[in-house]
Amino acid sequence: MQKKVFIIGSGIAGMACAIRLAASGYEVIIFEKNNYAGGKIYLIEQDGYRFDAGPSLFVQPENIEELFKLCNEDMDEYLPYKSLEISCKYFYEDGVVINAYTDNNKLANEVEAKTGEPAQHIMDYLNESKRIYTNIGEIFLNNSLHQKSIWLSTNVLKAWLQTKLSYVFSTLNDANKKKFSHPHVVQLFNRFATYNGSSPYKAPAMLQLVPHVEFNEGVFYPKGGMIAVRNALYKLACKMNVQFHFNSPVEKIIIKDNKATGLFVNGQSLHADVIVSNADIYFTYKLLLNDMTKAMEVLKQERSSSAIVFYWGIKKEFPQLELHNIFFSDDYETEFNSIFKSKTVYADPTIYVNITAKCEPGMHAPAGKENWFVMINTASGADFNDASIQSYKRNVIAKLNRVLQTDIEPLIETEAVLHPQKIEKETASFAGAIYGSASNSRMAAFNRHPNFSKSIHGLYFTGGSVHPGGGIPLCLKSAAITSNLIIKNSGQ
């Protein structure tokens, strides 16, 4: 008989898991509390402007292409995309501007020309980043770390032999200071700790593997913006007969004799053979399993950073900006202390500005105008009110005015705001922690919650709050791990 799987939540990992299971012959039904699919990926349309509300960086498209191949579908028909020449443009307070080319030779020469850091240092770093990712990272990102069998495999043994003690016992900042002499270059590569909501002054040097994804593999832009990723996966899932039930918040996971047997949703008890929660693992335990002990165990791990995002319709074009732009803080370490220690508003935040109108003029903003997605990292669980939002806004505008030598505020003709409380409310991410737990300790990667329940048969987890973590590429890998475990354990 065809086995039935219920998936709670239609985020990227939820849909990817559904597609994989449907391709393997399961009947898959997704229950979603919102009236749309996509989780953190959704669209804001306001006063003639379009804003991708969530993730904005598109890397490793092969993770998505794999889903289409499993379904014998042509990804180009669903999600055309192009590669970018410049992954990001970096602005420093002293006037230095670095174009981070996706061609490594051009990048190395650019950094040397702008900072004096020898080009060979950049090339050596990226070569090491590739080695770490290929020889170590791939093993742990593509497998469940919570099964004994994985630790007995030859591949894991080889990975351990490639692991230097410094990767585990040094921080990313310590490693980068040894590799580079110029503080601007150290700061540029420290930034990659934020890709999973962590601090480079606390996270292990193993995160040197992250730049490989962006610089060695490339950065891409999906036609239509990031919402096109959501739309493509939703369309593919529907093609594979995955059923979606929107406006259907799950109230309870039904457990009988230590086995997950179904869900209580919309006033009904519904039966399934397998349950997958794509919801935040903390809320899964607290609200759906009524297990506060397990929920509090999750919170023993430090939460990742959150964010405040201003969506600004700017009635002017800025030719000096790219799709992705970073305006660095002048004191990076103090900024991260404010995020993870004092949890206060920092006066000189690092600002990320994403402008999809750069890639598709006239589609995301009226002619001659731009749609700015303006994000700064902030503490998860921060209590935002109108006063604190305005404080952040003043700091952001003051910094942009300084660096761009302009007056931004009169150019803002429409605005929307996202902050930690709204992130928690709209995406069920506890405390607005975008990536679940942070990687601010040596064992953080191993302490992430597994993709399966050790005590409840037939219950699995996927998404950014479990192994291997948040962000679209990691969510897709999480979906692969979870679906493979389900297929293996059910023998289908």
Side-chain angles (χ1 to χ4, degrees):
M1 292 180 62
Q2 185 182 38
K3 292 193 174 182
K4 183 183 292 185
V5 179
F6 287 162
I7 296 180
I8 305 167
S10 65
I12 293 299
M15 287 196 288
C17 192
I19 290 166
R20 286 179 173 276
L21 294 174
S24 296
Y26 292 81
E27 178 186 358
V28 186
I29 302 172
I30 296 179
F31 295 93
E32 170 58 54
K33 72 180 183 69
N34 294 318
N35 61 1
Y36 58 87
K40 293 182 177 71
I41 297 184
Y42 61 100
L43 189 69
I44 295 174
E45 296 184 276
Q46 187 169 297
D47 299 326
Y49 292 88
R50 288 163 51 97
F51 303 93
D52 283 317
S56 56
L57 182 67
F58 188 49
V59 293
Q60 294 190 323
E62 65 271 15
N63 289 325
I64 297 177
E65 189 167 1
E66 184 182 357
L67 298 174
F68 286 89
K69 288 180 178 178
L70 283 173
C71 302
N72 297 313
E73 293 288 326
D74 184 358
M75 178 171 160
D76 289 341
E77 296 181 5
Y78 292 76
L79 187 64
Y81 64 90
K82 64 180 182 181
S83 60
L84 300 178
E85 180 184 6
I86 296 175
S87 65
C88 188
K89 194 164 187 175
Y90 293 94
F91 296 83
Y92 297 84
E93 283 279 354
D94 62 2
V96 171
V97 177
I98 295 177
N99 292 295
Y101 293 101
T102 51
D103 179 304
N104 287 351
N105 286 312
K106 290 182 68 174
L107 170 66
N109 291 331
E110 168 79 357
V111 172
E112 182 172 16
K114 298 295 180 64
T115 67
E117 187 76 47
Q120 192 59 46
H121 290 181
I122 305 298
M123 299 301 292
D124 290 345
Y125 189 93
L126 294 180
N127 286 333
E128 183 176 11
S129 180
K130 181 179 181 179
R131 285 196 299 272
I132 298 172
Y133 188 92
T134 304
N135 297 331
I136 304 172
E138 284 279 11
I139 302 301
F140 297 107
L141 294 178
N142 293 324
N143 295 278
S144 171
L145 301 184
H146 301 83
Q147 289 189 305
K148 294 180 180 178
S149 58
I150 188 65
W151 298 103
L152 301 176
S153 70
T154 303
N155 288 337
V156 168
L157 177 60
K158 290 180 179 178
W160 276 121
L161 293 175
Q162 294 282 339
T163 302
K164 298 178 181 179
L165 290 178
S166 61
Y167 294 163
V168 178
F169 292 98
S170 295
T171 68
L172 182 61
N173 176 68
D174 290 339
N176 289 340
K177 287 177 71 175
K178 290 181 179 179
K179 301 293 175 59
F180 306 115
S181 58
H182 199 288
H184 285 356
V185 186
V186 173
Q187 188 173 27
L188 193 158
F189 285 97
N190 274 355
R191 174 188 171 238
F192 288 94
T194 67
Y195 278 39
N196 68 355
S198 305
S199 166
Y201 304 95
K202 298 174 70 177
M206 184 69 77
L207 291 189
Q208 288 175 90
L209 63 81
V210 180
H212 165 74
V213 174
E214 186 168 314
F215 291 122
N216 293 327
E217 295 187 347
V219 177
F220 306 87
Y221 177 78
K223 184 179 180 181
M226 294 301 289
I227 194 66
V229 176
R230 188 278 305 268
N231 294 342
L233 292 183
Y234 176 68
K235 185 177 179 181
L236 180 62
C238 291
K239 183 74 177 285
M240 297 303 294
N241 296 315
V242 174
Q243 301 175 47
F244 288 81
H245 292 275
F246 296 112
N247 299 308
S248 298
V250 173
E251 299 171 46
K252 181 181 179 182
I253 296 173
I254 300 171
I255 308 297
K256 184 177 181 181
D257 298 327
N258 293 323
K259 183 183 187 309
T261 61
L263 300 176
F264 191 75
V265 57
N266 290 332
Q268 292 182 294
S269 297
L270 305 175
H271 171 77
D273 300 287
V274 176
I275 304 297
V276 180
S277 178
N278 183 214
D280 185 287
I281 191 66
Y282 170 80
F283 285 124
T284 298
Y285 279 120
K286 179 183 178 181
L287 302 179
L288 305 183
L289 292 168
N290 193 29
D291 189 339
M292 277 306 300
T293 300
K294 287 284 183 63
M296 295 310 295
E297 285 181 9
V298 170
L299 295 189
K300 290 179 181 178
Q301 301 172 56
E302 184 177 12
R303 297 297 89 190
S304 79
S305 59
S306 186
I308 180 168
V309 184
F310 297 98
Y311 306 95
W312 288 340
I314 301 291
K315 55 182 179 181
K316 180 183 174 181
E317 291 181 315
F318 284 77
Q320 69 268 47
L321 299 180
E322 295 287 336
L323 170 65
H324 302 292
N325 308 272
I326 290 288
F327 298 81
F328 271 129
S329 165
D330 206 31
D331 187 344
Y332 217 32
E333 186 168 9
T334 300
E335 179 183 9
F336 279 96
N337 285 337
S338 75
I339 294 171
F340 288 103
K341 290 184 179 179
S342 62
K343 298 183 181 295
T344 55
V345 177
Y346 187 55
D348 179 35
T350 295
I351 303 167
Y352 166 68
V353 178
N354 173 258
I355 311 170
T356 56
K358 294 291 183 182
C359 293
E360 295 177 288
M363 180 176 177
H364 302 270
K369 301 179 181 182
E370 295 179 344
N371 60 331
W372 285 23
F373 170 111
V374 182
M375 186 186 87
I376 52 177
N377 294 314
T378 190
S380 57
D383 186 15
F384 275 78
N385 53 39
D386 288 342
S388 57
I389 290 172
Q390 289 305 311
S391 178
Y392 272 106
K393 182 177 178 179
R394 284 193 298 271
N395 292 341
V396 168
I397 288 176
K399 185 176 186 68
L400 292 175
N401 287 349
R402 274 197 317 272
V403 178
L404 295 176
Q405 294 294 295
T406 189
D407 189 0
I408 292 293
E409 192 157 19
L411 302 176
I412 303 172
E413 61 178 4
T414 191
E415 178 183 80
V417 182
L418 183 67
H419 52 73
Q421 290 107 301
K422 288 186 70 174
I423 293 172
E424 176 175 304
K425 180 180 178 181
E426 295 177 6
T427 69
S429 301
F430 177 71
I434 299 173
Y435 307 96
S437 59
S439 294
N440 287 339
S441 69
R442 291 191 295 271
M443 299 302 294
F446 304 97
N447 289 333
R448 274 193 174 273
H449 196 283
N451 303 78
F452 61 96
S453 172
K454 295 180 179 180
S455 59
I456 302 172
H457 182 69
L459 177 61
Y460 298 84
F461 313 97
T462 194
S465 62
V466 299
H467 178 72
I472 291 178
L474 294 183
C475 281
L476 291 169
K477 290 182 182 296
S478 173
I481 293 170
T482 303
S483 57
N484 288 339
L485 288 172
I486 293 169
I487 294 167
K488 177 184 176 181
N489 292 338
S490 66
Q492 184 161 330

